[in-house]
Amino acid sequence: MSGPLSLFQAVQADKDGTFKLLSKLNNTLVAQSEPCQSENGLRILFDKLWPDFKEKLDQAPQVPVDAGPERSDSDVLAEILSKERMHSRLLVAILRSMGSFVPPIGSFEPSALALSKDDYVAVSFEELRTEALKLRKSGRIVTALEVFQKALSLNPEHLETLIDVAVTRTYLPSSVYPESIYTLEELVKKTAMEQASHPEASIIAKAYYNLACIKHIARRDQDFSCSDDEIFADLEQAFDRYPAYVNTALTDNDLLEMRNHARFKALVERYRRAER
């Protein structure tokens, strides 16, 4: 396809490409807490419906594509530069519409984004964290991770941001959950050894709570080897440090299958009694 829409042709119209597209759309729904399928459920549904869809796809008329004359290197480079500048203007317009403008950061250079000097202002660590969390909430996961990394360049040992990065990586379509599990486990081990340096119980609880959620999802969707004992041990560590996570767990879709478990109900009841 030629013209502006050609920029969005990202997958082949075959079985693998179509599933990749649907998987990305499904993960966007997951990130925005909208109704969605589990990865395994999506695969089962897709495999069932694919033959009918492929039959209709094969019946679609084939339009020959004329590649046109061969282009010079300078023409190709000029088109790339033009599109990069267009993307830069679009990105700046989006960021400006978000209320408090934070310029594009990370690995980008001013010359590549064609921004004026006035767009490059000093950005504080807290502003970067706030912007990264907004980006994650809106489903812009890759950009959110870039902004988190920029924040860490200003404060490399900030525990909550390190936790947020590990959790945010699980939102990527190609995420391998055990990598984030390992990172979070290393963080809680480190805080146990340096308790005086990290007295924030609620932040350490955040790591344990997310460990429980990610382990449960990894076991369900990625065949991760993990027992109920491990998941409930992490939940107990989270509730013990920050009992308010009990209320979060009662409504968290990531723990939906665990909420009917007798041990989950017993944990909730124990820490609710402790709050009274």
Side-chain angles (χ1 to χ4, degrees):
M1 181 180 289
S2 62
L5 291 180
S6 64
L7 299 174
F8 302 98
Q9 303 305 300
V11 298
Q12 295 291 326
D14 55 19
K15 187 173 183 179
D16 289 340
T18 304
F19 182 77
K20 181 179 178 181
L21 175 62
L22 291 174
S23 182
K24 287 187 176 181
L25 291 171
N26 192 59
N27 281 319
T28 299
L29 294 174
V30 172
Q32 297 180 358
S33 299
E34 297 288 343
C36 58
Q37 295 284 335
S38 69
E39 190 70 17
N40 187 52
L42 180 66
R43 170 56 76 179
I44 293 171
L45 184 61
F46 176 79
D47 287 341
K48 182 177 181 180
L49 298 177
W50 170 252
D52 290 338
F53 180 77
K54 185 177 185 302
E55 182 179 351
K56 291 181 173 58
L57 193 64
D58 291 341
Q59 294 170 359
Q62 299 294 316
V63 180
V65 178
D66 182 7
E70 185 175 349
R71 303 168 66 192
S72 67
D73 290 346
S74 59
D75 285 342
V76 173
L77 290 172
E79 182 181 353
I80 292 172
L81 179 61
S82 174
K83 288 181 177 178
E84 181 62 34
R85 286 173 174 165
M86 179 186 70
H87 294 160
S88 300
R89 289 192 293 272
L90 287 171
L91 181 57
V92 173
I94 291 169
L95 289 172
R96 287 190 186 281
S97 69
M98 296 180 71
S100 58
F101 174 60
V102 176
I105 49 185
S107 60
F108 302 119
E109 295 296 332
S111 58
L113 288 169
L115 298 174
S116 69
K117 290 182 180 179
D118 291 339
D119 288 328
Y120 283 84
V121 296
V123 183
S124 73
F125 170 77
E126 287 302 331
E127 287 172 325
L128 290 169
R129 267 191 56 78
T130 300
E131 183 63 20
L133 291 169
K134 285 182 182 177
L135 289 165
R136 185 174 76 179
K137 187 175 182 181
S138 69
R140 297 169 62 190
I141 307 305
V142 173
T143 309
L145 285 168
E146 290 174 353
V147 180
F148 274 131
Q149 292 298 341
K150 180 63 176 179
L152 285 173
S153 72
L154 301 178
N155 193 349
E157 299 299 320
H158 191 262
L159 178 59
E160 189 167 15
T161 303
L162 292 168
I163 294 169
D164 285 329
V165 168
V167 173
T168 304
R169 282 181 180 146
T170 67
Y171 295 1
L172 293 169
S174 58
S175 173
V176 180
Y177 283 22
E179 294 177 358
S180 290
I181 291 170
Y182 174 79
T183 299
L184 289 170
E185 286 180 336
E186 289 300 302
L187 287 173
V188 295
K189 286 178 186 176
K190 183 178 179 181
T191 57
M193 292 185 291
E194 303 175 2
Q195 192 65 35
S197 303
H198 297 294
E200 310 97 328
S202 64
I203 296 175
I204 301 172
K206 180 176 183 176
Y208 277 113
Y209 181 81
N210 280 286
L211 266 173
C213 293
I214 296 170
K215 284 179 180 178
H216 172 56
I217 298 171
R219 183 175 67 175
R220 183 190 66 196
D221 297 343
Q222 297 188 358
D223 297 323
F224 179 68
S225 179
C226 178
S227 67
D228 284 348
D229 287 343
E230 292 177 71
I231 295 172
F232 284 118
D234 289 332
L235 276 178
E236 186 168 4
Q237 292 281 359
F239 295 166
D240 190 56
R241 288 169 169 78
Y242 192 62
Y245 268 125
V246 170
N247 297 323
T248 303
L250 285 169
T251 58
D252 195 334
N253 287 334
D254 289 343
L255 295 173
L256 185 61
E257 293 91 341
M258 304 294 291
R259 291 209 289 268
N260 290 326
H261 200 294
R263 289 179 64 179
F264 181 90
K265 294 177 180 178
L267 268 179
V268 168
E269 181 58 26
R270 185 201 316 170
Y271 284 95
R272 278 188 159 178
R273 277 203 307 268
E275 283 188 296
R276 292 170 191 158

